[in-house]
Amino acid sequence: RLAELEPRIDDLRQRVEALSGKARVEADRLLDDLEVERASLRQRLEDLKQKGAASWERMVREAQAELDGMSK
């Protein structure tokens, strides 16, 4: 699902280019926050690859909740 969000985030980044003023500032801030969340999630996925199956299942549940939030 993270891979599915990549093009959507890129599309949002392009749309922000057309904004100006306060709307642009707020959209940039939100996208920056989203980038931080995406990087954090990627790092957690990588960490879990190293830890094993039990951790993986727990992380999948947590990541699914985060991805649902990011999709909104």
Side-chain angles (χ1 to χ4, degrees):
R1 294 219 22 221
L2 184 59
E4 293 172 10
L5 287 175
E6 300 287 333
R8 292 178 63 191
I9 292 170
D10 292 339
D11 181 54
L12 289 172
R13 218 16 109 198
Q14 289 177 354
R15 289 181 185 194
V16 166
E17 295 294 323
L19 299 176
S20 61
K22 289 181 181 181
R24 172 76 181 261
V25 170
E26 181 65 12
D28 280 334
R29 184 189 66 77
L30 291 171
L31 281 171
D32 289 344
D33 291 348
L34 186 59
E35 291 290 343
V36 169
E37 288 181 44
R38 178 171 59 172
S40 174
L41 184 56
R42 278 187 178 162
Q43 182 61 48
R44 287 176 54 201
L45 284 168
E46 194 59 39
D47 291 346
L48 282 172
K49 286 179 184 178
Q50 305 300 321
K51 291 183 181 178
S55 295
W56 176 255
E57 288 181 22
R58 185 181 72 244
M59 196 304 243
V60 166
R61 289 189 304 273
E62 293 172 2
Q64 183 65 42
E66 285 186 41
L67 286 169
D68 290 344
M70 289 172 65
S71 293
K72 291 177 185 176

